[in-house]
Amino acid sequence: MEKVLRKKKAQRSAYDDDIITLDNVTKSYAVGKPALNGVTLHIKKGEFVFIVGDSGSGKSTLIKLLLRELVPSEGTITVMGHDLGRMRHRNIPKFRRNLGIVFQDFRLLKDRNVYENVAFAQRIIQKSSREIRKNVPSILATVGLAGKYKSKVTQLSGGEQQRVALARAMVNKPTILLADEPTGNLDPGNSWDIMKLMEQINENGTTVIVVTHNREIVNAMHKRVITMKKGVVIYDEEEGEYHDEDE
Amino acid sequence: MRMSSFFFTIGQGFKSLKRNRWYTLASVATISACLFLFGVFYSIVTNFQHVVKTAEEGVSVTVFFNEGTTEDIILATKALVEKRPEVRQVVYVSAQEAWEGFKEDYLGEYADGFTENPLEDSANLQIYLSDVSMQPALVTYLESLSDIRLVNKSEVTASTLVGVNSLIAYISLGIIAILLLVSIFLISNTVTIGISVRKEEINIMKYIGATDFFVRAPFVIEGIIIGIIGSIIPLFIIYIIYNKTAVYIAERFAMLNSILDILPVGTIFEALVPISVLIGVGIGFLGSVATVRKHLHV
């Protein structure tokens, strides 16, 4: 009993410090070399982290592991105190509600309007209609889309669609925001707007992890940069910069 | 589950029908086509069975008794035969009634020349069967009884009806199997289309933390509604066609009315409506569950 309590206490103290821990994580698929190979990482609560690297470096696999879409072949991943490798399927939805997720291709429900897309995230966590009517306009105002709540998402520009995705990711006030190439489909102006919104979200206490190829943004923002290559972390620098593949 | 979430889920099911109108149309059309074929087949088979049953009911075995057998013995035999499970009805025809019937059928005014009943020993029992295939067993039993002179039966009619009955059973099984295969093929194709249409939507829901139930529920509601609509449309069409066909047959083949006794549409629909709706809802339910199931493990 005492042993269990000590373990739980240790887990809690680790969670107080590191919100995400990867301990010697390897992810192999049926064929080819491992997508991640013995990666160890610690991300603290409230950090803003860029993950960079070329195609095939293992960034997408890392995101999928953090979302618990995949499980590691070896090693352990702990997110907010949850060992993702041991997490049961039925507990995944509850876990994901603590994550805000933004994708390069926005992944909005195209047949619904802006309000419905954001409200949907609140419906999932069974917020009352009254709360939804209060929270959705508020988050849409934060991302600058208060006037477009009735628009179909297909009528919006790429930058606006990404703001909707960001609003949907943030409306449930997640602990961690995961963004997979959030500026990949945007022009420089919109890219900066999105990054500033993310910085603002981070300043409010949310841990932000951004996977990107955007050298200009990474170099300008002076945040922690984790560089990956062929499934391993080759650089992990505070206020780092974008490294070329051959560096 | 909150009431608002419950109504939201139901609402989403209805909205989804409109949003994915082509998928809805394809699904309704598929289910309707299958159930239409089923309904037409069911109506034909049920009527056919009715015709055969009517014919079977007319098949009787007539038992004549030895000379001098008293009415008491005949009635005792009647009571004995009535207890047999394959026997539906036993009619006692006295010698007088037999003679009256004969006169009416064959002699007419020429019967006046007879002063005595020439069919004095023709009192008989007419036995009607509930299952005509049991006729040989009944005849064997009757022949084993005492006081019985003759057992009249129509082996050809009985064996023909038994043959027709088995033929209907085999054809029914064959057509049901074909219909089932066609339905599975059509429905699996429609479900495949549904999967490609919904894959992204389901993935998004799962990524933002929707439970399996929350993802599945609107699809299931949608599937059930599609199933209900898909079963009502063919019922409506069959109702109209059936009535028109019944009138046409009655008018065109009036001389066959005694044989071709078409069942009223109400009798057919008593069973067809619940069966069709149940199949429609079942297909809609299983189809939607199958559509979603593959994508829940995101």
Side-chain angles (χ1 to χ4, degrees), chain B residues 241-273:
Chain B
I241 293 176
Y242 189 95
N243 275 333
K244 284 196 184 298
T245 311
V247 171
Y248 178 79
I249 290 173
E251 284 173 2
R252 188 71 191 261
F253 306 103
M255 57 186 169
L256 296 175
N257 272 357
S258 58
I259 309 165
L260 274 176
D261 178 24
I262 304 286
L263 286 166
V265 73
T267 311
I268 295 286
F269 270 49
E270 261 174 28
L272 188 60
V273 170

Side-chain angles (χ1 to χ4, degrees), chain B residues 4-292:
Chain B
S4 61
S5 298
F6 175 74
F7 288 117
F8 173 77
T9 306
I10 291 178
Q12 285 302 302
F14 278 95
K15 280 183 182 172
S16 197
L17 289 169
K18 200 180 156 197
R19 283 193 200 112
N20 305 290
R21 55 180 72 88
W22 289 112
Y23 175 67
T24 305
L25 271 175
S27 309
V28 167
T30 305
I31 295 175
S32 292
C34 294
L35 289 178
F36 178 76
L37 287 174
F38 172 79
V40 168
F41 174 64
Y42 176 84
S43 306
I44 293 170
V45 168
T46 309
N47 270 292
F48 215 83
Q49 279 177 334
H50 172 66
V51 168
V52 173
K53 186 85 186 157
T54 310
E56 277 184 5
E57 282 170 1
V59 174
S60 66
V61 173
T62 311
V63 179
F64 292 96
F65 293 83
N66 290 331
E67 200 174 318
T69 308
T70 62
E71 192 175 69
D72 287 348
I73 293 172
I74 295 172
L75 290 174
T77 309
K78 177 177 181 276
L80 212 61
V81 173
E82 275 172 339
K83 284 180 186 159
R84 291 187 65 87
E86 71 271 25
V87 172
R88 184 169 55 85
Q89 192 190 3
V90 183
V91 178
Y92 168 58
V93 181
S94 66
Q96 189 55 39
E97 284 166 343
W99 173 232
E100 292 299 330
F102 186 83
K103 275 198 297 188
E104 200 179 311
D105 291 344
Y106 302 106
L107 298 177
E109 59 192 54
Y110 301 110
D112 295 344
F114 292 90
T115 50
E116 286 181 8
N117 180 359
L119 302 178
E120 195 60 50
D121 298 318
S122 292
N124 61 72
L125 293 177
Q126 283 178 0
I127 306 166
Y128 296 91
L129 292 110
S130 55
D131 180 0
V132 78
S133 69
M134 295 298 287
Q135 184 181 287
L138 178 72
V139 169
T140 310
Y141 168 75
L142 293 171
E143 284 170 347
S144 71
L145 297 175
S146 55
D147 297 317
I148 285 176
R149 173 164 52 94
L150 178 70
V151 178
N152 253 353
K153 76 265 181 190
S154 170
E155 268 174 17
V156 177
T157 315
S159 64
T160 306
L161 287 172
V162 170
V164 168
N165 250 342
S166 340
L167 189 70
I168 293 173
Y170 286 129
I171 291 174
S172 304
L173 279 175
I175 293 179
I176 284 172
I178 292 167
L179 277 179
L180 209 67
L181 287 174
V182 171
S183 307
I184 290 169
F185 174 73
L186 288 174
I187 288 156
S188 67
N189 268 348
T190 318
V191 167
T192 309
I193 297 167
I195 287 171
S196 63
V197 170
R198 303 300 177 74
K199 190 179 171 184
E200 198 184 346
E201 188 177 339
I202 296 168
N203 280 353
I204 293 167
M205 290 182 184
K206 290 296 290 176
Y207 276 132
I208 57 180
T211 57
D212 289 355
F213 174 80
F214 202 91
V215 175
R216 199 186 279 127
F219 286 95
V220 170
I221 288 165
E222 185 188 341
I224 290 172
I225 297 166
I226 286 174
I228 292 171
I229 299 170
S231 59
I232 289 173
I233 292 172
L235 285 172
F236 185 71
I237 297 170
I238 289 168
Y239 185 88
I240 294 168
I241 293 176
Y242 189 95
N243 275 333
K244 284 196 184 298
T245 311
V247 171
Y248 178 79
I249 290 173
E251 284 173 2
R252 188 71 191 261
F253 306 103
M255 57 186 169
L256 296 175
N257 272 357
S258 58
I259 309 165
L260 274 176
D261 178 24
I262 304 286
L263 286 166
V265 73
T267 311
I268 295 286
F269 270 49
E270 261 174 28
L272 188 60
V273 170
I275 293 173
S276 292
V277 172
L278 215 67
I279 294 175
V281 169
I283 291 172
F285 176 81
L286 293 176
S288 57
V289 169
T291 311
V292 186

Side-chain angles (χ1 to χ4, degrees), chain A residues 10-67:
Chain A
Q11 271 181 347
R12 222 176 296 131
S13 69
Y15 172 52
D16 287 345
D17 200 20
D18 291 335
I19 199 159
I20 296 172
T21 308
L22 277 81
D23 187 11
N24 208 17
V25 170
T26 296
K27 177 63 193 176
S28 307
Y29 295 107
V31 286
K33 289 179 178 174
L36 280 191
N37 198 353
V39 171
T40 297
L41 269 180
H42 296 272
I43 294 172
K44 288 189 171 57
K45 208 173 176 181
E47 264 195 294
F48 191 119
V49 182
F50 281 116
I51 297 175
V52 301
D54 292 309
S55 298
S57 60
K59 305 186 305 287
S60 298
T61 300
L62 177 60
I63 289 283
K64 284 180 179 174
L65 286 166
L66 292 176
L67 281 169

